[in-house]
Amino acid sequence: MEWIGFIALAVLLCYSSYPGKVKRLEAAVKRLERKQRGENNMSKLINELVNTECKIKSDDALQLVGSTEMKCLVLDTDDEWMKVRFTDKKNNQITKLLRIENVDEIEIVSTELK
C-alpha cells in the first residue's frame, strides 16, 4: 500500500513543473502569431517615435485622461509595450505603460530631443 503513495508522489513531482512549461509555450505561440499578423512591423515603426510628442488614440486613454485621445511623449518602446509620459487634469506628469496592440491611431505632434 505504501508503494502507491510513492508512485503518486513521483507522478506529482514529474508534473509540478508542467504549468511553467505551458506558460513558456503560450508565450512562444503568441510571438509567432504576432509575427504572422504583422504587429512586429508596427512595433518597429513605433520604436522610431521615441522622444516624439504624439497624440495617441486608444480606449485605454479614456481611463487615463477622460477622452480616447491623449497627447503624450513617447519615452521608450519594445515589441509589446510603449512607455509614455502625459499631463493629467491636475497638471501632474504621469508615466504609464500602454500595450501596442491597444493603440488605435498615432499622430505625430512634434519631435523633441531631450
Side-chain angles (χ1 to χ4, degrees):
M1 212 42 142
E2 292 177 357
W3 58 276
I4 294 175
F6 288 124
I7 292 174
L9 180 63
V11 169
L12 180 70
L13 290 175
C14 289
Y15 287 105
S16 65
S17 64
Y18 185 70
K21 291 178 182 177
V22 169
K23 286 183 182 182
R24 283 194 298 272
L25 285 173
E26 285 176 349
V29 167
K30 282 184 181 181
R31 281 193 302 270
L32 289 172
E33 286 176 349
R34 267 188 305 209
K35 284 182 181 178
Q36 281 183 331
R37 286 191 310 232
E39 286 183 27
N40 197 15
N41 292 333
M42 183 168 171
S43 64
K44 286 180 184 177
L45 292 173
I46 291 175
N47 195 24
E48 295 174 3
L49 297 176
V50 174
N51 294 325
T52 303
E53 192 171 348
C54 299
K55 284 185 184 178
I56 295 177
K57 191 178 238 184
S58 172
D59 291 335
D60 292 343
L62 184 62
Q63 298 170 349
L64 299 174
V65 294
S67 74
T68 57
E69 198 169 278
M70 171 175 68
K71 189 174 180 181
C72 61
L73 176 67
V74 178
L75 300 174
D76 196 15
T77 63
D78 68 1
D79 288 343
E80 271 186 72
W81 297 89
M82 61 189 304
K83 183 178 179 182
V84 297
R85 181 183 300 141
F86 63 94
T87 305
D88 67 355
K89 294 177 184 177
K90 298 178 182 177
N91 288 330
N92 296 328
Q93 291 283 328
I94 298 176
T95 303
K96 288 283 187 179
L97 295 174
L98 298 174
R99 279 193 170 277
I100 290 177
E101 65 188 30
N102 295 342
V103 174
D104 297 327
E105 185 178 316
I106 298 176
E107 178 183 337
I108 299 172
V109 175
S110 66
T111 304
E112 294 184 14
L113 299 173
K114 291 185 177 180

